[in-house]
Amino acid sequence: MDSAQAQDDREETVIVGFGDSLMAGYGLGPGQGFPAQLERRLNGYFDSSVKVVNAGVSGDTSTGGRARLDWVLSALDTPPDLVILELGANDALRGIAPEITRANMDALIVAVQSRGIPVLLAGMLAPPNMGADYQKRFNSIFPDLAEKYDVTLYPFFLDGVAADPSLNQRDGIHPTAEGIAIMVDRILPYVEKALSMGDAS
């Protein structure tokens, strides 16, 4: 049985949330992180049940993600229906050259697509204190790659939450459970779009 047939025969829709601490649920309790909240929202939208796999690693950079992607996907019983690719925040915070981030994100998209799996690219923005030149080079990565590989782009993963103290933990970086709920609400139409694109392919 090939992977496409395996997916057709499976009743459960499987999404992999592949990213850093924003995906992993840093500082949050069980069931409060992005994958768990997204899973609850999606269940009931589809005839099949939905499982969202939390493949987030706190502190991960695009380089780290590139190194572990194959292992994560190979560990699954069958190919997922969608990979939400969320990396880059730690690259920007550490001032990693945007050209390195771009090359890694490019390779990650290619690696997922080569397995016949749709990608939802969750964009990230560089913090203002990195300077205008860095911001320009970094912020263009995600829309450029989305266009290059024809993948669904969610422009900014932290949209509606970033810089709002009431929706972030004390570090001012990681969202609270309430912040995550807003993120899930805003990204939901993009997840549905990416899944429908996968069904049409």
Side-chain angles (χ1 to χ4, degrees):
M1 181 183 295
D2 61 28
S3 61
Q5 184 178 352
Q7 285 185 301
D8 290 340
D9 293 342
R10 184 182 60 209
E11 294 183 357
E12 185 177 59
T13 297
V14 177
I15 299 171
V16 173
F18 189 86
D20 48 38
S21 57
L22 299 175
M23 185 68 69
Y26 176 87
L28 300 175
Q32 295 183 335
F34 180 86
Q37 291 204 41
L38 178 62
E39 180 175 295
R40 289 197 297 272
R41 287 294 305 275
L42 287 171
N43 275 300
Y45 274 70
F46 302 98
D47 294 333
S48 61
S49 63
V50 180
K51 177 182 179 181
V52 182
V53 178
N54 187 343
V57 172
S58 292
D60 211 3
T61 61
S62 62
T63 298
R66 183 176 179 179
R68 67 184 176 89
L69 176 67
D70 185 67
W71 180 87
V72 168
L73 296 179
S74 297
L76 300 172
D77 293 333
T78 55
D81 299 279
L82 177 68
V83 171
I84 301 175
L85 192 55
E86 176 274 312
L87 284 167
N90 289 314
D91 295 50
L93 289 173
R94 299 178 189 183
I96 293 173
E99 292 72 24
I100 294 175
T101 304
R102 180 183 291 270
N104 286 330
M105 297 305 296
D106 189 301
L108 284 161
I109 294 170
V110 169
V112 176
Q113 288 190 328
S114 70
R115 293 171 176 259
I117 305 168
V119 173
L120 169 54
L121 184 60
M124 186 51 58
L125 299 174
N129 64 350
M130 295 304 298
D133 178 67
Y134 188 94
Q135 283 184 293
K136 181 179 179 180
R137 290 156 55 211
F138 183 92
N139 294 352
S140 63
I141 293 172
F142 301 91
D144 286 355
L145 292 179
E147 181 177 1
K148 178 179 180 180
Y149 292 108
D150 192 26
V151 300
T152 302
L153 172 69
Y154 182 62
F156 183 38
F157 192 55
L158 294 171
D159 183 47
V161 175
D164 185 336
S166 69
L167 297 173
N168 284 277
Q169 299 174 45
R170 290 184 179 181
D171 61 12
I173 297 174
H174 296 95
T176 60
E178 293 76 17
I180 293 291
I182 292 173
M183 292 165 60
V184 167
D185 185 62
R186 294 195 177 200
I187 202 173
L188 195 60
Y190 296 81
V191 174
E192 295 183 79
K193 177 184 176 182
L195 284 170
S196 66
M197 289 175 66
D199 291 339
S201 62

